[in-house]
């Protein structure tokens, strides 16, 4: 059974940092692309960043480039999202998603087969 479990969310003041973790199980980690999406109230789910676990190639949306860093630890089957210089507009539920793609880049959420339960990130102004 595929499982993705997010952790590390919470409340942080603007300018602060958080690190999200996505622990994966039930599939061959090295063969998958894992993405972080977020969804704010009243908005569509959007891709934030993704990583190919095979070669650690990464993608970032323009809104987080230079502030967020995605990484994967293949020994622990875990993907991290280090979020620095957080802004109130980063407030959302963050989800990790996984699928066996052969390239890393922006995709619609419906292209991913596996999802975590989501975790709240709130940035106060």
């Amino acid at each position: 059974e595929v499982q993705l479990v997010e952790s590390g969310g919470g409340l942080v003041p603007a300018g602060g940092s958080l690190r999200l973790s996505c622990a994966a199980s039930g599939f061959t980690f090295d063969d998958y692309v894992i993405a972080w999406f977020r969804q704010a109230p009243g908005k569509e789910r959007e891709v934030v960043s993704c990583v190919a676990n095979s070669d650690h190639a990464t993608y970032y949306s323009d809104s987080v480039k230079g502030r967020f860093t995605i990484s994967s630890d293949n020994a622990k089957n875990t993907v991290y999202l280090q979020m620095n210089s957080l802004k109130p507009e980063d407030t959302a539920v963050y989800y990790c998603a996984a699928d066996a793609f052969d390239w890393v880049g922006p995709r619609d959420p419906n292209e991913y087969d596996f999802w975590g339960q989501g975790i709240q990130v709130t940035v106060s102004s």
Side-chain angles (χ1 to χ4, degrees):
E1 177 190 5
V2 172
Q3 282 195 318
L4 299 171
V5 179
E6 300 100 336
S7 61
L11 173 65
V12 63
S17 298
L18 281 175
R19 188 177 80 156
L20 303 183
S21 299
C22 174
S25 60
F27 59 91
T28 304
F29 187 79
D30 291 9
D31 293 343
Y32 276 62
V33 169
I34 294 188
W36 286 98
F37 285 81
R38 67 186 180 187
Q39 188 165 19
K43 295 189 176 181
E44 293 187 352
R45 193 169 295 190
E46 62 173 359
V47 65
V48 173
S49 182
C50 50
V51 60
N53 294 328
S54 58
D55 62 2
H56 300 278
T58 59
Y59 164 82
Y60 297 94
S61 68
D62 287 343
S63 62
V64 306
K65 200 173 294 182
R67 300 188 297 123
F68 291 11
T69 302
I70 193 169
S71 61
S72 59
D73 185 334
N74 293 45
K76 295 183 178 179
N77 284 7
T78 300
V79 171
Y80 304 98
L81 185 69
Q82 178 67 43
M83 306 186 294
N84 298 330
S85 302
L86 282 161
K87 304 175 182 180
E89 51 263 44
D90 294 316
T91 296
V93 177
Y94 283 70
Y95 299 87
C96 66
D99 215 318
F101 301 122
D102 58 6
W103 56 272
V104 63
R107 287 182 171 86
D108 287 340
N110 60 15
E111 296 188 57
Y112 283 84
D113 282 343
F114 306 115
W115 289 86
Q117 79 284 358
I119 194 163
Q120 179 69 46
V121 170
T122 303
V123 184
S124 61
S125 56

